[in-house]
Amino acid sequence: MSELVNKIPEHVAIIMDGNGRWAESRGLPRLEGHRAGTENLRQIIRASVEFGVKYLTIYAFSTENWGRPKDEVNGLITILETVIDRELNELNAEGVRICHLGRLEAMPAKVRKKVEYSMHITQNNDQLILNVAWNYGGRDEIVHAIQKIIQASVPAEQVTEALVSKNLFTQGSPDPDLIIRTSGEMRVSNFLIWQSAYSEWYVTPTLWPDFNKEEYKKAIDAYGHRKRRFGKLDQ
Ligand code: FPP
């Protein structure tokens, strides 16, 4: 039973921002910030299970992140590989199902295989669905969905919101109830732009590597006090 009394979001999505600033403020290379951010993810995944969150979506690498310096891009790819090697068995044992959002085909073959393997061996888990957005862009996701719909020769009048949702990378996950962005930036950054139509946002100045379980609880508590009307009036 969770220690929280307020309502718990079923699906939390996080823009894990501020790794670079965290490192720079300590005189460290930016990659050290990404490593610290990755370490931090452990406690947030575990806290999600403890709080009763069923879906956790994390923005790990955007389609725009390829434009960063080569060292940083390669470092982030290595981090992803290392995390899978190091954490997969434990996550599997804890009942976490790993799903990938984005274009897998653009990833180096070795990493792609590891991601596919991690999805395969965790496919029957249901404690927490962990959606890892890697090589993900919200606009790209919508283009991809339109391509799939056209390829399936769907008549125009049969294109509905439900059909578009079904063709997104997030197919199978409900829309996020709560989106958290760390480091204080007030931007959507091409993240879940279709799915976030009625999500609640929580922005904190805390940098991602410092966003601990207590900070997470504050975000969940804030969500618990929100009134969601989905464009309608209070009942
Ligand atoms: C944004 O901080 C963060 C990223 C672009 C990468 C986030 C990735 C991780 C935490 C790696 C872990 C993920 C997995 C699945 C292994 P920033 O670099 O834009 O920070 P800044 O705005 O302070 O420069």
Side-chain angles (χ1 to χ4, degrees):
M1 187 57 192
S2 154
E3 64 201 271
L4 296 170
V5 289
N6 290 316
K7 65 180 187 292
I8 303 296
E10 183 183 22
H11 183 174
V12 175
I14 308 184
I15 301 181
M16 308 180 290
D17 199 8
N19 294 343
R21 275 162 285 169
W22 183 92
E24 281 155 17
S25 70
R26 286 165 174 75
L28 297 168
R30 291 177 55 83
L31 268 178
E32 285 306 318
H34 294 313
R35 288 196 188 97
T38 305
E39 274 305 305
N40 189 47
L41 209 39
R42 284 161 168 264
Q43 64 171 321
I44 298 305
I45 292 172
R46 264 136 219 153
S48 298
V49 175
E50 185 183 324
F51 295 161
V53 170
K54 295 307 289 180
Y55 298 81
L56 176 65
T57 298
I58 51 168
Y59 203 8
F61 192 91
S62 73
T63 43
E64 290 71 36
N65 286 154
W66 293 107
R68 293 195 176 197
K70 225 170 165 216
D71 282 359
E72 185 167 343
V73 170
N74 290 338
L76 282 164
I77 294 173
T78 306
I79 286 175
L80 177 65
E81 265 194 278
T82 314
V83 165
I84 296 174
D85 290 343
R86 207 182 56 196
E87 308 285 341
L88 181 58
N89 285 344
E90 212 175 308
L91 289 171
N92 190 28
E94 288 167 7
V96 176
R97 176 175 179 187
I98 298 172
C99 299
H100 172 259
L101 311 181
R103 302 259 188 177
L104 256 188
E105 62 270 23
M107 285 164 110
K110 196 164 82 141
V111 191
R112 196 178 66 225
K113 287 201 176 97
K114 285 187 183 182
V115 174
E116 284 167 347
Y117 177 70
S118 69
M119 292 194 289
H120 175 70
I121 71 154
T122 63
Q123 65 185 325
N124 295 318
N125 293 345
D126 62 1
Q127 272 293 307
L128 177 75
I129 312 301
L130 177 62
N131 291 318
V132 180
W134 218 102
N135 194 22
Y136 171 88
R139 288 185 173 180
D140 179 57
E141 179 180 42
I142 292 170
V143 168
H144 185 252
I146 294 169
Q147 287 170 343
K148 284 200 329 191
I149 291 169
I150 291 173
Q151 276 158 6
S153 307
V154 177
E157 63 280 7
Q158 285 176 28
V159 177
T160 59
E161 291 187 12
L163 183 74
V164 173
S165 293
K166 228 174 96 182
N167 282 281
L168 297 174
F169 296 127
T170 47
Q171 179 253 327
S173 294
D175 288 344
D177 300 295
L178 172 65
I179 303 182
I180 297 171
R181 182 166 189 148
T182 57
S183 95
E185 307 289 354
M186 305 271 189
R187 277 196 291 275
V188 175
S189 297
N190 206 11
F191 186 48
L192 303 177
I193 52 179
W194 173 280
Q195 302 88 333
S196 63
Y198 283 102
S199 302
E200 295 294 323
W201 279 84
Y202 179 90
V203 177
T204 170
T206 305
L207 305 177
W208 172 250
D210 296 326
F211 185 83
N212 58 21
K213 186 176 163 189
E214 285 313 300
E215 297 276 339
Y216 190 18
K217 185 175 180 301
K218 274 191 230 164
I220 301 233
D221 281 346
Y223 171 83
H225 289 95
R226 301 273 177 94
K227 267 203 175 138
R228 301 184 76 188
R229 293 195 298 268
F230 299 93
K232 302 179 186 121
L233 298 179
D234 283 339
Q235 295 299 315

